PDB file of all heavy atoms in Angstrom:
ATOM      1  N   GLN A1136      72.036 153.360  61.109  1.00  0.00           N
ATOM      2  CA  GLN A1136      72.523 152.347  61.915  1.00  0.00           C
ATOM      3  C   GLN A1136      71.867 150.997  61.685  1.00  0.00           C
ATOM      4  O   GLN A1136      70.784 150.956  61.087  1.00  0.00           O
ATOM      5  CB  GLN A1136      72.297 152.709  63.416  1.00  0.00           C
ATOM      6  CG  GLN A1136      70.857 152.887  63.813  1.00  0.00           C
ATOM      7  CD  GLN A1136      70.686 153.311  65.273  1.00  0.00           C
ATOM      8  OE1 GLN A1136      71.604 153.169  66.049  1.00  0.00           O
ATOM      9  NE2 GLN A1136      69.505 153.779  65.610  1.00  0.00           N
ATOM     10  N   ILE A1137      72.534 149.910  62.173  1.00  0.00           N
ATOM     11  CA  ILE A1137      71.983 148.585  62.037  1.00  0.00           C
ATOM     12  C   ILE A1137      71.253 148.262  63.328  1.00  0.00           C
ATOM     13  O   ILE A1137      71.797 148.328  64.414  1.00  0.00           O
ATOM     14  CB  ILE A1137      73.136 147.601  61.789  1.00  0.00           C
ATOM     15  CG1 ILE A1137      73.872 147.931  60.516  1.00  0.00           C
ATOM     16  CG2 ILE A1137      72.581 146.164  61.706  1.00  0.00           C
ATOM     17  CD1 ILE A1137      75.112 147.094  60.281  1.00  0.00           C
ATOM     18  N   LEU A1138      69.951 147.864  63.188  1.00  0.00           N
ATOM     19  CA  LEU A1138      69.142 147.576  64.342  1.00  0.00           C
ATOM     20  C   LEU A1138      69.372 146.114  64.812  1.00  0.00           C
ATOM     21  O   LEU A1138      69.548 145.837  65.962  1.00  0.00           O
ATOM     22  CB  LEU A1138      67.669 147.782  64.002  1.00  0.00           C
ATOM     23  CG  LEU A1138      67.303 149.246  63.663  1.00  0.00           C
ATOM     24  CD1 LEU A1138      65.833 149.350  63.386  1.00  0.00           C
ATOM     25  CD2 LEU A1138      67.697 150.164  64.799  1.00  0.00           C
ATOM     26  N   ARG A1139      69.293 145.151  63.855  1.00  0.00           N
ATOM     27  CA  ARG A1139      69.505 143.736  64.220  1.00  0.00           C
ATOM     28  C   ARG A1139      69.989 142.991  63.016  1.00  0.00           C
ATOM     29  O   ARG A1139      69.902 143.469  61.896  1.00  0.00           O
ATOM     30  CB  ARG A1139      68.195 143.098  64.701  1.00  0.00           C
ATOM     31  CG  ARG A1139      67.086 142.982  63.692  1.00  0.00           C
ATOM     32  CD  ARG A1139      65.833 142.352  64.260  1.00  0.00           C
ATOM     33  NE  ARG A1139      64.821 142.178  63.248  1.00  0.00           N
ATOM     34  CZ  ARG A1139      63.936 143.105  62.879  1.00  0.00           C
ATOM     35  NH1 ARG A1139      63.976 144.288  63.489  1.00  0.00           N
ATOM     36  NH2 ARG A1139      63.062 142.837  61.943  1.00  0.00           N
ATOM     37  N   GLN A1140      70.573 141.783  63.264  1.00  0.00           N
ATOM     38  CA  GLN A1140      71.092 141.011  62.175  1.00  0.00           C
ATOM     39  C   GLN A1140      70.814 139.547  62.427  1.00  0.00           C
ATOM     40  O   GLN A1140      70.744 139.109  63.587  1.00  0.00           O
ATOM     41  CB  GLN A1140      72.613 141.216  62.010  1.00  0.00           C
ATOM     42  CG  GLN A1140      73.439 140.754  63.117  1.00  0.00           C
ATOM     43  CD  GLN A1140      73.637 141.792  64.190  1.00  0.00           C
ATOM     44  OE1 GLN A1140      73.146 142.903  64.076  1.00  0.00           O
ATOM     45  NE2 GLN A1140      74.405 141.423  65.211  1.00  0.00           N
ATOM     46  N   GLU A1141      70.671 138.741  61.358  1.00  0.00           N
ATOM     47  CA  GLU A1141      70.620 137.321  61.413  1.00  0.00           C
ATOM     48  C   GLU A1141      71.678 136.767  60.508  1.00  0.00           C
ATOM     49  O   GLU A1141      71.696 137.000  59.286  1.00  0.00           O
ATOM     50  CB  GLU A1141      69.199 136.862  60.896  1.00  0.00           C
ATOM     51  CG  GLU A1141      68.059 137.363  61.768  1.00  0.00           C
ATOM     52  CD  GLU A1141      66.701 136.944  61.210  1.00  0.00           C
ATOM     53  OE1 GLU A1141      66.752 136.261  60.172  1.00  0.00           O
ATOM     54  OE2 GLU A1141      65.680 137.267  61.798  1.00  0.00           O
ATOM     55  N   GLU A1142      72.637 136.041  61.126  1.00  0.00           N
ATOM     56  CA  GLU A1142      73.812 135.613  60.403  1.00  0.00           C
ATOM     57  C   GLU A1142      74.002 134.105  60.584  1.00  0.00           C
ATOM     58  O   GLU A1142      73.660 133.528  61.633  1.00  0.00           O
ATOM     59  CB  GLU A1142      75.061 136.314  60.897  1.00  0.00           C
ATOM     60  CG  GLU A1142      75.004 137.839  60.659  1.00  0.00           C
ATOM     61  CD  GLU A1142      76.185 138.578  61.308  1.00  0.00           C
ATOM     62  OE1 GLU A1142      76.716 138.002  62.340  1.00  0.00           O
ATOM     63  OE2 GLU A1142      76.483 139.681  60.880  1.00  0.00           O
ATOM     64  N   ALA A1143      74.562 133.469  59.544  1.00  0.00           N
ATOM     65  CA  ALA A1143      74.831 132.046  59.578  1.00  0.00           C
ATOM     66  C   ALA A1143      76.165 131.846  58.827  1.00  0.00           C
ATOM     67  O   ALA A1143      76.393 132.342  57.747  1.00  0.00           O
ATOM     68  CB  ALA A1143      73.760 131.228  58.915  1.00  0.00           C
ATOM     69  N   THR A1144      77.086 131.022  59.469  1.00  0.00           N
ATOM     70  CA  THR A1144      78.417 130.779  58.868  1.00  0.00           C
ATOM     71  C   THR A1144      78.505 129.270  58.504  1.00  0.00           C
ATOM     72  O   THR A1144      78.042 128.385  59.255  1.00  0.00           O
ATOM     73  CB  THR A1144      79.488 131.158  59.893  1.00  0.00           C
ATOM     74  OG1 THR A1144      79.326 132.513  60.290  1.00  0.00           O
ATOM     75  CG2 THR A1144      80.865 130.980  59.294  1.00  0.00           C
ATOM     76  N   ALA A1145      79.151 129.036  57.355  1.00  0.00           N
ATOM     77  CA  ALA A1145      79.315 127.658  56.877  1.00  0.00           C
ATOM     78  C   ALA A1145      80.621 127.559  56.124  1.00  0.00           C
ATOM     79  O   ALA A1145      81.142 128.546  55.611  1.00  0.00           O
ATOM     80  CB  ALA A1145      78.174 127.215  55.979  1.00  0.00           C
ATOM     81  N   ALA A1146      81.172 126.345  56.090  1.00  0.00           N
ATOM     82  CA  ALA A1146      82.425 126.065  55.370  1.00  0.00           C
ATOM     83  C   ALA A1146      82.079 125.409  54.061  1.00  0.00           C
ATOM     84  O   ALA A1146      81.426 124.368  54.010  1.00  0.00           O
ATOM     85  CB  ALA A1146      83.374 125.167  56.210  1.00  0.00           C
ATOM     86  N   GLU A1147      82.529 126.001  52.953  1.00  0.00           N
ATOM     87  CA  GLU A1147      82.223 125.460  51.615  1.00  0.00           C
ATOM     88  C   GLU A1147      83.451 125.532  50.703  1.00  0.00           C
ATOM     89  O   GLU A1147      83.996 126.642  50.477  1.00  0.00           O
ATOM     90  CB  GLU A1147      81.075 126.288  50.982  1.00  0.00           C
ATOM     91  CG  GLU A1147      79.789 126.297  51.753  1.00  0.00           C
ATOM     92  CD  GLU A1147      78.762 127.113  51.110  1.00  0.00           C
ATOM     93  OE1 GLU A1147      79.097 127.718  50.003  1.00  0.00           O
ATOM     94  OE2 GLU A1147      77.643 127.249  51.619  1.00  0.00           O
ATOM     95  N   ASP A1148      83.911 124.360  50.234  1.00  0.00           N
ATOM     96  CA  ASP A1148      85.010 124.277  49.221  1.00  0.00           C
ATOM     97  C   ASP A1148      86.221 125.124  49.654  1.00  0.00           C
ATOM     98  O   ASP A1148      86.740 125.902  48.856  1.00  0.00           O
ATOM     99  CB  ASP A1148      84.467 124.781  47.885  1.00  0.00           C
ATOM    100  CG  ASP A1148      83.351 123.906  47.338  1.00  0.00           C
ATOM    101  OD1 ASP A1148      83.307 122.700  47.691  1.00  0.00           O
ATOM    102  OD2 ASP A1148      82.486 124.462  46.624  1.00  0.00           O
ATOM    103  N   GLY A1149      86.638 124.954  50.807  1.00  0.00           N
ATOM    104  CA  GLY A1149      87.869 125.647  51.286  1.00  0.00           C
ATOM    105  C   GLY A1149      87.622 127.081  51.663  1.00  0.00           C
ATOM    106  O   GLY A1149      88.620 127.882  51.742  1.00  0.00           O
ATOM    107  N   LEU A1150      86.349 127.472  51.829  1.00  0.00           N
ATOM    108  CA  LEU A1150      86.026 128.870  52.153  1.00  0.00           C
ATOM    109  C   LEU A1150      85.143 128.879  53.360  1.00  0.00           C
ATOM    110  O   LEU A1150      84.418 127.950  53.655  1.00  0.00           O
ATOM    111  CB  LEU A1150      85.315 129.543  50.984  1.00  0.00           C
ATOM    112  CG  LEU A1150      86.055 129.616  49.675  1.00  0.00           C
ATOM    113  CD1 LEU A1150      85.115 130.224  48.556  1.00  0.00           C
ATOM    114  CD2 LEU A1150      87.294 130.452  49.723  1.00  0.00           C
ATOM    115  N   TYR A1151      85.207 129.992  54.107  1.00  0.00           N
ATOM    116  CA  TYR A1151      84.235 130.291  55.146  1.00  0.00           C
ATOM    117  C   TYR A1151      83.294 131.352  54.612  1.00  0.00           C
ATOM    118  O   TYR A1151      83.695 132.409  54.195  1.00  0.00           O
ATOM    119  CB  TYR A1151      84.936 130.825  56.365  1.00  0.00           C
ATOM    120  CG  TYR A1151      85.750 129.800  57.121  1.00  0.00           C
ATOM    121  CD1 TYR A1151      87.022 130.093  57.636  1.00  0.00           C
ATOM    122  CD2 TYR A1151      85.285 128.509  57.357  1.00  0.00           C
ATOM    123  CE1 TYR A1151      87.773 129.168  58.287  1.00  0.00           C
ATOM    124  CE2 TYR A1151      86.014 127.602  58.013  1.00  0.00           C
ATOM    125  CZ  TYR A1151      87.276 127.876  58.460  1.00  0.00           C
ATOM    126  OH  TYR A1151      88.029 126.947  59.138  1.00  0.00           O
ATOM    127  N   CYS A1152      81.982 131.025  54.565  1.00  0.00           N
ATOM    128  CA  CYS A1152      80.967 131.899  54.019  1.00  0.00           C
ATOM    129  C   CYS A1152      79.996 132.297  55.139  1.00  0.00           C
ATOM    130  O   CYS A1152      79.559 131.432  55.908  1.00  0.00           O
ATOM    131  CB  CYS A1152      80.239 131.263  52.898  1.00  0.00           C
ATOM    132  SG  CYS A1152      81.278 130.725  51.501  1.00  0.00           S
ATOM    133  N   GLN A1153      79.677 133.557  55.157  1.00  0.00           N
ATOM    134  CA  GLN A1153      78.706 134.014  56.141  1.00  0.00           C
ATOM    135  C   GLN A1153      77.524 134.707  55.362  1.00  0.00           C
ATOM    136  O   GLN A1153      77.804 135.594  54.570  1.00  0.00           O
ATOM    137  CB  GLN A1153      79.320 135.018  57.131  1.00  0.00           C
ATOM    138  CG  GLN A1153      78.342 135.624  58.085  1.00  0.00           C
ATOM    139  CD  GLN A1153      78.925 136.578  59.054  1.00  0.00           C
ATOM    140  OE1 GLN A1153      79.525 136.194  60.052  1.00  0.00           O
ATOM    141  NE2 GLN A1153      78.822 137.862  58.764  1.00  0.00           N
ATOM    142  N   TYR A1154      76.327 134.229  55.650  1.00  0.00           N
ATOM    143  CA  TYR A1154      75.151 134.850  55.029  1.00  0.00           C
ATOM    144  C   TYR A1154      74.399 135.608  56.130  1.00  0.00           C
ATOM    145  O   TYR A1154      74.222 135.125  57.246  1.00  0.00           O
ATOM    146  CB  TYR A1154      74.257 133.795  54.454  1.00  0.00           C
ATOM    147  CG  TYR A1154      74.901 132.878  53.394  1.00  0.00           C
ATOM    148  CD1 TYR A1154      75.627 131.767  53.783  1.00  0.00           C
ATOM    149  CD2 TYR A1154      74.887 133.252  52.063  1.00  0.00           C
ATOM    150  CE1 TYR A1154      76.275 130.972  52.856  1.00  0.00           C
ATOM    151  CE2 TYR A1154      75.514 132.448  51.121  1.00  0.00           C
ATOM    152  CZ  TYR A1154      76.204 131.319  51.497  1.00  0.00           C
ATOM    153  OH  TYR A1154      76.804 130.533  50.565  1.00  0.00           O
ATOM    154  N   GLY A1155      74.027 136.856  55.815  1.00  0.00           N
ATOM    155  CA  GLY A1155      73.381 137.637  56.822  1.00  0.00           C
ATOM    156  C   GLY A1155      72.264 138.515  56.290  1.00  0.00           C
ATOM    157  O   GLY A1155      72.318 138.926  55.106  1.00  0.00           O
ATOM    158  N   LYS A1156      71.247 138.750  57.082  1.00  0.00           N
ATOM    159  CA  LYS A1156      70.195 139.720  56.862  1.00  0.00           C
ATOM    160  C   LYS A1156      70.274 140.766  57.937  1.00  0.00           C
ATOM    161  O   LYS A1156      70.371 140.482  59.122  1.00  0.00           O
ATOM    162  CB  LYS A1156      68.827 139.053  56.814  1.00  0.00           C
ATOM    163  CG  LYS A1156      68.536 138.194  55.569  1.00  0.00           C
ATOM    164  CD  LYS A1156      67.102 137.717  55.593  1.00  0.00           C
ATOM    165  CE  LYS A1156      66.809 136.916  54.333  1.00  0.00           C
ATOM    166  NZ  LYS A1156      65.383 136.465  54.304  1.00  0.00           N
ATOM    167  N   TYR A1157      70.140 142.037  57.524  1.00  0.00           N
ATOM    168  CA  TYR A1157      70.323 143.120  58.445  1.00  0.00           C
ATOM    169  C   TYR A1157      69.183 144.092  58.351  1.00  0.00           C
ATOM    170  O   TYR A1157      68.843 144.568  57.220  1.00  0.00           O
ATOM    171  CB  TYR A1157      71.663 143.845  58.167  1.00  0.00           C
ATOM    172  CG  TYR A1157      72.865 142.939  58.198  1.00  0.00           C
ATOM    173  CD1 TYR A1157      73.242 142.228  57.059  1.00  0.00           C
ATOM    174  CD2 TYR A1157      73.570 142.714  59.387  1.00  0.00           C
ATOM    175  CE1 TYR A1157      74.339 141.368  57.102  1.00  0.00           C
ATOM    176  CE2 TYR A1157      74.672 141.926  59.446  1.00  0.00           C
ATOM    177  CZ  TYR A1157      75.042 141.231  58.306  1.00  0.00           C
ATOM    178  OH  TYR A1157      76.151 140.370  58.338  1.00  0.00           O
ATOM    179  N   ALA A1158      68.571 144.405  59.428  1.00  0.00           N
ATOM    180  CA  ALA A1158      67.484 145.410  59.494  1.00  0.00           C
ATOM    181  C   ALA A1158      68.155 146.741  59.918  1.00  0.00           C
ATOM    182  O   ALA A1158      68.799 146.831  60.958  1.00  0.00           O
ATOM    183  CB  ALA A1158      66.394 145.013  60.460  1.00  0.00           C
ATOM    184  N   CYS A1159      67.902 147.756  59.085  1.00  0.00           N
ATOM    185  CA  CYS A1159      68.577 149.074  59.298  1.00  0.00           C
ATOM    186  C   CYS A1159      67.583 150.216  59.290  1.00  0.00           C
ATOM    187  O   CYS A1159      66.522 150.089  58.676  1.00  0.00           O
ATOM    188  CB  CYS A1159      69.703 149.303  58.241  1.00  0.00           C
ATOM    189  SG  CYS A1159      70.805 147.903  57.972  1.00  0.00           S
ATOM    190  N   ILE A1160      67.986 151.290  59.937  1.00  0.00           N
ATOM    191  CA  ILE A1160      67.382 152.609  59.741  1.00  0.00           C
ATOM    192  C   ILE A1160      68.398 153.515  59.131  1.00  0.00           C
ATOM    193  O   ILE A1160      69.434 153.728  59.747  1.00  0.00           O
ATOM    194  CB  ILE A1160      66.810 153.166  61.058  1.00  0.00           C
ATOM    195  CG1 ILE A1160      65.597 152.379  61.497  1.00  0.00           C
ATOM    196  CG2 ILE A1160      66.451 154.605  60.871  1.00  0.00           C
ATOM    197  CD1 ILE A1160      64.954 152.890  62.760  1.00  0.00           C
ATOM    198  N   GLU A1161      68.155 154.026  57.957  1.00  0.00           N
ATOM    199  CA  GLU A1161      69.164 154.820  57.213  1.00  0.00           C
ATOM    200  C   GLU A1161      68.465 155.884  56.384  1.00  0.00           C
ATOM    201  O   GLU A1161      67.289 155.826  56.059  1.00  0.00           O
ATOM    202  CB  GLU A1161      70.014 153.898  56.347  1.00  0.00           C
ATOM    203  CG  GLU A1161      69.246 153.155  55.270  1.00  0.00           C
ATOM    204  CD  GLU A1161      70.151 152.348  54.381  1.00  0.00           C
ATOM    205  OE1 GLU A1161      71.023 152.939  53.729  1.00  0.00           O
ATOM    206  OE2 GLU A1161      69.909 151.109  54.314  1.00  0.00           O
ATOM    207  N   MET A1162      69.316 156.899  56.098  1.00  0.00           N
ATOM    208  CA  MET A1162      68.812 157.939  55.190  1.00  0.00           C
ATOM    209  C   MET A1162      68.808 157.450  53.756  1.00  0.00           C
ATOM    210  O   MET A1162      69.829 157.017  53.266  1.00  0.00           O
ATOM    211  CB  MET A1162      69.702 159.200  55.287  1.00  0.00           C
ATOM    212  CG  MET A1162      69.220 160.387  54.478  1.00  0.00           C
ATOM    213  SD  MET A1162      70.411 161.750  54.447  1.00  0.00           S
ATOM    214  CE  MET A1162      70.349 162.183  56.173  1.00  0.00           C
ATOM    215  N   ILE A1163      67.655 157.553  53.142  1.00  0.00           N
ATOM    216  CA  ILE A1163      67.512 157.016  51.763  1.00  0.00           C
ATOM    217  C   ILE A1163      67.344 158.156  50.766  1.00  0.00           C
ATOM    218  O   ILE A1163      67.221 157.925  49.545  1.00  0.00           O
ATOM    219  CB  ILE A1163      66.337 156.038  51.673  1.00  0.00           C
ATOM    220  CG1 ILE A1163      65.018 156.756  51.954  1.00  0.00           C
ATOM    221  CG2 ILE A1163      66.583 154.840  52.547  1.00  0.00           C
ATOM    222  CD1 ILE A1163      63.796 155.869  51.669  1.00  0.00           C
ATOM    223  N   GLY A1164      67.258 159.450  51.237  1.00  0.00           N
ATOM    224  CA  GLY A1164      67.079 160.531  50.298  1.00  0.00           C
ATOM    225  C   GLY A1164      68.309 160.821  49.511  1.00  0.00           C
ATOM    226  O   GLY A1164      69.404 160.924  50.026  1.00  0.00           O
ATOM    227  N   GLN A1165      68.178 160.937  48.219  1.00  0.00           N
ATOM    228  CA  GLN A1165      69.303 161.113  47.294  1.00  0.00           C
ATOM    229  C   GLN A1165      68.894 162.263  46.335  1.00  0.00           C
ATOM    230  O   GLN A1165      67.817 162.215  45.727  1.00  0.00           O
ATOM    231  CB  GLN A1165      69.635 159.852  46.495  1.00  0.00           C
ATOM    232  CG  GLN A1165      70.829 159.965  45.588  1.00  0.00           C
ATOM    233  CD  GLN A1165      71.134 158.643  44.906  1.00  0.00           C
ATOM    234  OE1 GLN A1165      70.300 157.706  44.941  1.00  0.00           O
ATOM    235  NE2 GLN A1165      72.269 158.536  44.335  1.00  0.00           N
ATOM    236  N   THR A1166      69.751 163.236  46.149  1.00  0.00           N
ATOM    237  CA  THR A1166      69.508 164.421  45.370  1.00  0.00           C
ATOM    238  C   THR A1166      69.628 164.037  43.857  1.00  0.00           C
ATOM    239  O   THR A1166      70.591 163.382  43.480  1.00  0.00           O
ATOM    240  CB  THR A1166      70.417 165.544  45.695  1.00  0.00           C
ATOM    241  OG1 THR A1166      70.246 165.917  47.073  1.00  0.00           O
ATOM    242  CG2 THR A1166      70.095 166.809  44.840  1.00  0.00           C
ATOM    243  N   ARG A1167      68.637 164.499  43.058  1.00  0.00           N
ATOM    244  CA  ARG A1167      68.663 164.261  41.613  1.00  0.00           C
ATOM    245  C   ARG A1167      68.313 165.551  40.897  1.00  0.00           C
ATOM    246  O   ARG A1167      67.326 166.187  41.224  1.00  0.00           O
ATOM    247  CB  ARG A1167      67.674 163.161  41.236  1.00  0.00           C
ATOM    248  CG  ARG A1167      67.711 162.832  39.742  1.00  0.00           C
ATOM    249  CD  ARG A1167      66.698 161.740  39.395  1.00  0.00           C
ATOM    250  NE  ARG A1167      65.294 162.206  39.576  1.00  0.00           N
ATOM    251  CZ  ARG A1167      64.208 161.479  39.433  1.00  0.00           C
ATOM    252  NH1 ARG A1167      64.349 160.151  39.188  1.00  0.00           N
ATOM    253  NH2 ARG A1167      62.972 162.024  39.617  1.00  0.00           N
ATOM    254  N   SER A1168      69.154 165.939  39.962  1.00  0.00           N
ATOM    255  CA  SER A1168      68.927 167.176  39.196  1.00  0.00           C
ATOM    256  C   SER A1168      67.715 166.978  38.243  1.00  0.00           C
ATOM    257  O   SER A1168      67.554 165.922  37.644  1.00  0.00           O
ATOM    258  CB  SER A1168      70.161 167.588  38.441  1.00  0.00           C
ATOM    259  OG  SER A1168      71.196 167.854  39.326  1.00  0.00           O
ATOM    260  N   GLU A1169      66.943 168.059  38.079  1.00  0.00           N
ATOM    261  CA  GLU A1169      65.779 167.976  37.190  1.00  0.00           C
ATOM    262  C   GLU A1169      65.892 169.030  36.123  1.00  0.00           C
ATOM    263  O   GLU A1169      66.632 170.009  36.285  1.00  0.00           O
ATOM    264  CB  GLU A1169      64.471 168.291  38.045  1.00  0.00           C
ATOM    265  CG  GLU A1169      64.283 167.340  39.193  1.00  0.00           C
ATOM    266  CD  GLU A1169      63.877 165.959  38.745  1.00  0.00           C
ATOM    267  OE1 GLU A1169      63.596 165.770  37.514  1.00  0.00           O
ATOM    268  OE2 GLU A1169      63.768 165.030  39.587  1.00  0.00           O
ATOM    269  N   GLU A1170      65.227 168.799  35.033  1.00  0.00           N
ATOM    270  CA  GLU A1170      65.179 169.776  33.938  1.00  0.00           C
ATOM    271  C   GLU A1170      64.185 170.873  34.282  1.00  0.00           C
ATOM    272  O   GLU A1170      63.148 170.622  34.972  1.00  0.00           O
ATOM    273  CB  GLU A1170      64.724 169.097  32.636  1.00  0.00           C
ATOM    274  CG  GLU A1170      65.755 168.078  32.102  1.00  0.00           C
ATOM    275  CD  GLU A1170      65.295 167.497  30.800  1.00  0.00           C
ATOM    276  OE1 GLU A1170      64.187 167.883  30.323  1.00  0.00           O
ATOM    277  OE2 GLU A1170      66.047 166.627  30.256  1.00  0.00           O
ATOM    278  N   ILE A1171      64.472 172.063  33.830  1.00  0.00           N
ATOM    279  CA  ILE A1171      63.607 173.196  34.129  1.00  0.00           C
ATOM    280  C   ILE A1171      62.336 173.072  33.215  1.00  0.00           C
ATOM    281  O   ILE A1171      62.464 172.932  31.994  1.00  0.00           O
ATOM    282  CB  ILE A1171      64.319 174.512  33.878  1.00  0.00           C
ATOM    283  CG1 ILE A1171      65.489 174.670  34.835  1.00  0.00           C
ATOM    284  CG2 ILE A1171      63.332 175.690  34.029  1.00  0.00           C
ATOM    285  CD1 ILE A1171      66.282 175.931  34.664  1.00  0.00           C
TER     286      ILE A1171
END
């Protein structure tokens, strides 16, 4: 899940851009096969 976020929106060259930083707690374990 996402715990908190810091976001900022700006208009640039005909676009709306949003920059954000997000603090999360998530599962990072990933299975990798190994050689015997």
Side-chain angles (χ1 to χ4, degrees):
Q1136 60 181 344
I1137 300 174
L1138 298 179
R1139 67 178 183 275
Q1140 68 271 359
E1141 297 178 1
E1142 298 172 337
T1144 305
E1147 299 178 1
D1148 299 331
L1150 302 174
Y1151 290 137
C1152 301
Q1153 177 179 279
Y1154 302 89
K1156 287 186 177 182
Y1157 304 86
C1159 311
I1160 288 183
E1161 60 177 301
M1162 183 187 295
I1163 63 171
Q1165 183 178 14
T1166 302
R1167 183 180 68 184
S1168 298
E1169 302 287 352
E1170 295 182 358
I1171 298 178

